[in-house]
Amino acid sequence: MPSRSIEEPARQVPLYGEYEVAVLGGGPAGIAAAVAAARAGRRTLLIERYGFLGGMGTAAGVTNFCGLHANVHGEMHRVVQGIASEFLACIDRLDGLNAPHLILGKILAQAYDTAAYKIAADDLLTAHKVDILFHALGAGVVMHDERRINALMVETKAGRQAITADIFIDCSGDGDLAAWAGAPYEVGDNAGSMLYPSMMFRLNGIDPQKAGEAWRTIPALMEQAEASGTHHFPRKAAIVRPQRSQIEWRVNFTQLAREDGTAINGLEPDDLTRGEIDGRRQAVQAFEFLRTVPGFEKSYIVDLPPQLGIRETRRVVGGYMLSGEDVLGCTSFADSIGVNGWPMESHVAGDVIFKFPPIPESRGFNELPYRMLVPVGLDNLLVAGRCASMTHDGQSAARVSGACFAMGEAAGTAAALALGGNTIPRDIAVEKLQRQLKQQGAFIGQDQAIPKGL
C-alpha cells in the first residue's frame, strides 16, 4: 500500500524557555547530566516524557542497579561513584535501597524501591536547582545550520512548545534528539536483530520463610514444567529476587518478539503496541507458574510498569564506538571519563548470554572514552546512556545504569566546560574534564586507586 500523508500547516510555536544546557530524558544518564551541568552553574532543563524520573529503572520496572560494581581480580568494588553515590545516599535515606546481591556468582547488582527512586531523583535535581519539565515528549528539532541545533520541539498538554539551548544532551535512550538533528546512527546488529525487550513485574504476598532462596530453585522448576508440558517460557535465565520488603519480589521472565521471531523494535509504534500487550500476557503466564513455587502460593501481581523494558534501539555514531572486545579486554583509554564493570549481556532468542572478562585474572572493568559521547557532525550535542556510541556487543554491557550514570555526569560536566571556555564539546581539553570529574568524586580508572567498599 502506498504511503499516505497529510501536510501540516506552518505555525508559530511558543518558546517554553531558553537554557544553557537542555537534557532530553530523565534516566540515570539524564539525571547525572542535568545535576552535573547545574552544579557547575549552568541554567539547565531536564525534559522527561513521564511524570517521574528513572528511565527504564522506574518506567519499565527494572528495580535494580546493574554496573555500579566490578569484580576486580576476584574482589567486589563499587566503581561508579560521583553523582551516583550522592543519588544512592538519597535513596538509602528513604530506606529504599537493598544491600548488593551476587549475580551468577561473579558480579553484584543492587535492588531499590521504585517509589524511593522517584522521590530521591526529584530531591536531588531540585537541590541542585535543575529545572524539570515533566509530561513533555520530544518531537523534533529546528536546526540553526547543519551542525548546530537551535531548538528542541516538545509536545505537552499545552500543545507544541520549543526549547532553545546552547548545548543539548541526548539521554533519551533511543537517540531521538541526535537522529532528528541528522547524526549518524546504527540500529541493532545491522542485520535486523536487537536485544530483546522484556516486561518486568512485581509480586507481593510472598511468604519469605517458605520462599527462602527461591531464585536458586526456580530454574530447575521451570525445566520440569517445560518437560511436563504444563508451562512454556519465552526464555531461559529467569530473574526472580526479593525487594526491600521480603514479601515483595521482582520478576524478569519475559521476552518480546515479532511474529517472525525477531526482537520487538522499540522505534516502531506498532511493534511497541504488540510488545505491551504480549508482555502483559507473558507476565500473567509467568505469574501462574510462580504460584506453584513454595512461598508464592498466595502471591499477586502488585505492579505492571508503565512501559515495556527496551534494551536497545539506536546507537549514535561518535568519535569512538565502544566494542565487545573493549569490554572483555578491560580496555583503557587516554580520554576515559568513567568505567563499566558489567559484562556483555546478550538477550538473544530464547535466552540471555553473559560474557565476562577473565575472572579473577582481569581488573573486571573497561574505561569509557569521552569520544563515545560526542556525535559525528554536530557541534552542540552530546549523547549519554544506552544510545551513546557503542557497537551492538559493547552496548549489551555499557547500556546498564552504572555506565549511564558515569556517561551522564561526564556529559553534563563537559557541557559546562565547553560553555565556560566558549568552545564546542568536541574541542574541550579532556584533561581538564578528567580533573573536574575526579574532584567531583568520580572514578575514571587510569591512575586512580580502586574505590573501596560496596
PDB file of all heavy atoms in Angstrom, residues 372-392:
ATOM      1  N   MET A 372      33.007   8.669  22.901  1.00  0.00           N
ATOM      2  CA  MET A 372      31.743   7.965  22.671  1.00  0.00           C
ATOM      3  C   MET A 372      30.538   8.829  23.017  1.00  0.00           C
ATOM      4  O   MET A 372      29.394   8.469  22.709  1.00  0.00           O
ATOM      5  CB  MET A 372      31.709   6.644  23.438  1.00  0.00           C
ATOM      6  CG  MET A 372      31.679   6.766  24.930  1.00  0.00           C
ATOM      7  SD  MET A 372      31.794   5.156  25.781  1.00  0.00           S
ATOM      8  CE  MET A 372      30.200   4.440  25.431  1.00  0.00           C
ATOM      9  N   LEU A 373      30.763   9.983  23.624  1.00  0.00           N
ATOM     10  CA  LEU A 373      29.683  10.912  23.962  1.00  0.00           C
ATOM     11  C   LEU A 373      29.524  12.026  22.933  1.00  0.00           C
ATOM     12  O   LEU A 373      28.583  12.826  23.036  1.00  0.00           O
ATOM     13  CB  LEU A 373      29.943  11.553  25.333  1.00  0.00           C
ATOM     14  CG  LEU A 373      30.290  10.633  26.503  1.00  0.00           C
ATOM     15  CD1 LEU A 373      30.425  11.449  27.782  1.00  0.00           C
ATOM     16  CD2 LEU A 373      29.264   9.535  26.668  1.00  0.00           C
ATOM     17  N   VAL A 374      30.415  12.084  21.954  1.00  0.00           N
ATOM     18  CA  VAL A 374      30.455  13.211  21.013  1.00  0.00           C
ATOM     19  C   VAL A 374      30.051  12.733  19.621  1.00  0.00           C
ATOM     20  O   VAL A 374      30.830  12.075  18.929  1.00  0.00           O
ATOM     21  CB  VAL A 374      31.867  13.838  20.969  1.00  0.00           C
ATOM     22  CG1 VAL A 374      31.858  15.077  20.076  1.00  0.00           C
ATOM     23  CG2 VAL A 374      32.344  14.188  22.372  1.00  0.00           C
ATOM     24  N   PRO A 375      28.828  13.030  19.174  1.00  0.00           N
ATOM     25  CA  PRO A 375      28.369  12.542  17.874  1.00  0.00           C
ATOM     26  C   PRO A 375      29.149  13.154  16.717  1.00  0.00           C
ATOM     27  O   PRO A 375      29.607  14.306  16.784  1.00  0.00           O
ATOM     28  CB  PRO A 375      26.899  12.986  17.813  1.00  0.00           C
ATOM     29  CG  PRO A 375      26.534  13.373  19.198  1.00  0.00           C
ATOM     30  CD  PRO A 375      27.795  13.809  19.863  1.00  0.00           C
ATOM     31  N   VAL A 376      29.269  12.381  15.672  1.00  0.00           N
ATOM     32  CA  VAL A 376      29.907  12.863  14.448  1.00  0.00           C
ATOM     33  C   VAL A 376      29.018  13.920  13.799  1.00  0.00           C
ATOM     34  O   VAL A 376      27.805  13.754  13.698  1.00  0.00           O
ATOM     35  CB  VAL A 376      30.131  11.683  13.479  1.00  0.00           C
ATOM     36  CG1 VAL A 376      30.576  12.182  12.109  1.00  0.00           C
ATOM     37  CG2 VAL A 376      31.139  10.702  14.053  1.00  0.00           C
ATOM     38  N   GLY A 377      29.605  15.044  13.394  1.00  0.00           N
ATOM     39  CA  GLY A 377      28.912  16.004  12.543  1.00  0.00           C
ATOM     40  C   GLY A 377      28.069  17.045  13.226  1.00  0.00           C
ATOM     41  O   GLY A 377      27.459  17.880  12.548  1.00  0.00           O
ATOM     42  N   LEU A 378      27.998  17.050  14.565  1.00  0.00           N
ATOM     43  CA  LEU A 378      27.188  18.036  15.284  1.00  0.00           C
ATOM     44  C   LEU A 378      28.045  18.715  16.345  1.00  0.00           C
ATOM     45  O   LEU A 378      28.839  18.063  17.021  1.00  0.00           O
ATOM     46  CB  LEU A 378      25.972  17.378  15.923  1.00  0.00           C
ATOM     47  CG  LEU A 378      24.918  16.867  14.924  1.00  0.00           C
ATOM     48  CD1 LEU A 378      23.949  15.921  15.605  1.00  0.00           C
ATOM     49  CD2 LEU A 378      24.174  18.026  14.284  1.00  0.00           C
ATOM     50  N   ASP A 379      27.859  20.030  16.496  1.00  0.00           N
ATOM     51  CA  ASP A 379      28.764  20.807  17.339  1.00  0.00           C
ATOM     52  C   ASP A 379      28.200  21.197  18.698  1.00  0.00           C
ATOM     53  O   ASP A 379      28.963  21.655  19.558  1.00  0.00           O
ATOM     54  CB  ASP A 379      29.191  22.082  16.598  1.00  0.00           C
ATOM     55  CG  ASP A 379      30.123  21.793  15.429  1.00  0.00           C
ATOM     56  OD1 ASP A 379      30.701  20.684  15.408  1.00  0.00           O
ATOM     57  OD2 ASP A 379      30.251  22.654  14.540  1.00  0.00           O
ATOM     58  N   ASN A 380      26.896  21.092  18.899  1.00  0.00           N
ATOM     59  CA  ASN A 380      26.357  21.462  20.219  1.00  0.00           C
ATOM     60  C   ASN A 380      25.465  20.364  20.792  1.00  0.00           C
ATOM     61  O   ASN A 380      24.458  20.620  21.435  1.00  0.00           O
ATOM     62  CB  ASN A 380      25.620  22.807  20.178  1.00  0.00           C
ATOM     63  CG  ASN A 380      24.325  22.757  19.376  1.00  0.00           C
ATOM     64  OD1 ASN A 380      24.179  21.945  18.452  1.00  0.00           O
ATOM     65  ND2 ASN A 380      23.385  23.641  19.708  1.00  0.00           N
ATOM     66  N   LEU A 381      25.876  19.109  20.537  1.00  0.00           N
ATOM     67  CA  LEU A 381      25.140  17.954  21.049  1.00  0.00           C
ATOM     68  C   LEU A 381      26.099  16.941  21.659  1.00  0.00           C
ATOM     69  O   LEU A 381      27.145  16.640  21.080  1.00  0.00           O
ATOM     70  CB  LEU A 381      24.349  17.278  19.924  1.00  0.00           C
ATOM     71  CG  LEU A 381      23.593  15.997  20.318  1.00  0.00           C
ATOM     72  CD1 LEU A 381      22.450  16.312  21.290  1.00  0.00           C
ATOM     73  CD2 LEU A 381      23.059  15.282  19.082  1.00  0.00           C
ATOM     74  N   LEU A 382      25.724  16.433  22.825  1.00  0.00           N
ATOM     75  CA  LEU A 382      26.380  15.285  23.439  1.00  0.00           C
ATOM     76  C   LEU A 382      25.336  14.186  23.620  1.00  0.00           C
ATOM     77  O   LEU A 382      24.133  14.472  23.697  1.00  0.00           O
ATOM     78  CB  LEU A 382      26.981  15.662  24.797  1.00  0.00           C
ATOM     79  CG  LEU A 382      28.190  16.600  24.756  1.00  0.00           C
ATOM     80  CD1 LEU A 382      28.400  17.272  26.115  1.00  0.00           C
ATOM     81  CD2 LEU A 382      29.439  15.854  24.333  1.00  0.00           C
ATOM     82  N   VAL A 383      25.773  12.942  23.670  1.00  0.00           N
ATOM     83  CA  VAL A 383      24.863  11.821  23.939  1.00  0.00           C
ATOM     84  C   VAL A 383      25.412  11.037  25.128  1.00  0.00           C
ATOM     85  O   VAL A 383      26.628  10.936  25.308  1.00  0.00           O
ATOM     86  CB  VAL A 383      24.698  10.885  22.722  1.00  0.00           C
ATOM     87  CG1 VAL A 383      24.012  11.596  21.582  1.00  0.00           C
ATOM     88  CG2 VAL A 383      26.034  10.316  22.272  1.00  0.00           C
ATOM     89  N   ALA A 384      24.505  10.507  25.934  1.00  0.00           N
ATOM     90  CA  ALA A 384      24.915   9.698  27.081  1.00  0.00           C
ATOM     91  C   ALA A 384      23.841   8.660  27.354  1.00  0.00           C
ATOM     92  O   ALA A 384      22.657   8.904  27.118  1.00  0.00           O
ATOM     93  CB  ALA A 384      25.141  10.569  28.315  1.00  0.00           C
ATOM     94  N   GLY A 385      24.266   7.510  27.859  1.00  0.00           N
ATOM     95  CA  GLY A 385      23.314   6.447  28.138  1.00  0.00           C
ATOM     96  C   GLY A 385      23.364   5.361  27.086  1.00  0.00           C
ATOM     97  O   GLY A 385      24.351   5.219  26.363  1.00  0.00           O
ATOM     98  N   ARG A 386      22.300   4.594  26.982  1.00  0.00           N
ATOM     99  CA  ARG A 386      22.329   3.414  26.121  1.00  0.00           C
ATOM    100  C   ARG A 386      22.393   3.759  24.635  1.00  0.00           C
ATOM    101  O   ARG A 386      22.668   2.884  23.814  1.00  0.00           O
ATOM    102  CB  ARG A 386      21.141   2.498  26.417  1.00  0.00           C
ATOM    103  CG  ARG A 386      19.804   2.952  25.873  1.00  0.00           C
ATOM    104  CD  ARG A 386      18.773   1.803  25.919  1.00  0.00           C
ATOM    105  NE  ARG A 386      17.625   2.138  25.105  1.00  0.00           N
ATOM    106  CZ  ARG A 386      16.438   2.497  25.564  1.00  0.00           C
ATOM    107  NH1 ARG A 386      16.227   2.564  26.864  1.00  0.00           N
ATOM    108  NH2 ARG A 386      15.446   2.793  24.738  1.00  0.00           N
ATOM    109  N   CYS A 387      22.143   5.029  24.271  1.00  0.00           N
ATOM    110  CA  CYS A 387      22.225   5.440  22.862  1.00  0.00           C
ATOM    111  C   CYS A 387      23.577   6.030  22.514  1.00  0.00           C
ATOM    112  O   CYS A 387      23.770   6.532  21.394  1.00  0.00           O
ATOM    113  CB  CYS A 387      21.114   6.428  22.523  1.00  0.00           C
ATOM    114  SG  CYS A 387      21.095   7.927  23.527  1.00  0.00           S
ATOM    115  N   ALA A 388      24.548   5.982  23.422  1.00  0.00           N
ATOM    116  CA  ALA A 388      25.879   6.532  23.135  1.00  0.00           C
ATOM    117  C   ALA A 388      26.587   5.658  22.102  1.00  0.00           C
ATOM    118  O   ALA A 388      26.081   4.628  21.662  1.00  0.00           O
ATOM    119  CB  ALA A 388      26.691   6.628  24.418  1.00  0.00           C
ATOM    120  N   SER A 389      27.768   6.085  21.714  1.00  0.00           N
ATOM    121  CA  SER A 389      28.489   5.460  20.598  1.00  0.00           C
ATOM    122  C   SER A 389      29.117   4.129  21.024  1.00  0.00           C
ATOM    123  O   SER A 389      30.188   4.086  21.615  1.00  0.00           O
ATOM    124  CB  SER A 389      29.567   6.420  20.083  1.00  0.00           C
ATOM    125  OG  SER A 389      30.215   5.884  18.963  1.00  0.00           O
ATOM    126  N   MET A 390      28.414   3.044  20.700  1.00  0.00           N
ATOM    127  CA  MET A 390      28.840   1.694  21.047  1.00  0.00           C
ATOM    128  C   MET A 390      28.428   0.746  19.934  1.00  0.00           C
ATOM    129  O   MET A 390      27.446   0.996  19.235  1.00  0.00           O
ATOM    130  CB  MET A 390      28.178   1.238  22.358  1.00  0.00           C
ATOM    131  CG  MET A 390      28.489   2.112  23.551  1.00  0.00           C
ATOM    132  SD  MET A 390      27.613   1.594  25.069  1.00  0.00           S
ATOM    133  CE  MET A 390      26.107   2.567  24.950  1.00  0.00           C
ATOM    134  N   THR A 391      29.145  -0.342  19.789  1.00  0.00           N
ATOM    135  CA  THR A 391      28.701  -1.392  18.893  1.00  0.00           C
ATOM    136  C   THR A 391      27.566  -2.169  19.567  1.00  0.00           C
ATOM    137  O   THR A 391      27.285  -1.992  20.756  1.00  0.00           O
ATOM    138  CB  THR A 391      29.840  -2.371  18.555  1.00  0.00           C
ATOM    139  OG1 THR A 391      30.191  -3.101  19.746  1.00  0.00           O
ATOM    140  CG2 THR A 391      31.066  -1.631  18.010  1.00  0.00           C
ATOM    141  N   HIS A 392      26.931  -3.049  18.812  1.00  0.00           N
ATOM    142  CA  HIS A 392      25.864  -3.892  19.359  1.00  0.00           C
ATOM    143  C   HIS A 392      26.363  -4.679  20.570  1.00  0.00           C
ATOM    144  O   HIS A 392      25.687  -4.732  21.615  1.00  0.00           O
ATOM    145  CB  HIS A 392      25.384  -4.832  18.248  1.00  0.00           C
ATOM    146  CG  HIS A 392      24.381  -5.853  18.664  1.00  0.00           C
ATOM    147  ND1 HIS A 392      23.102  -5.528  19.061  1.00  0.00           N
ATOM    148  CD2 HIS A 392      24.467  -7.214  18.731  1.00  0.00           C
ATOM    149  CE1 HIS A 392      22.439  -6.637  19.351  1.00  0.00           C
ATOM    150  NE2 HIS A 392      23.250  -7.666  19.163  1.00  0.00           N
TER     151      HIS A 392
END
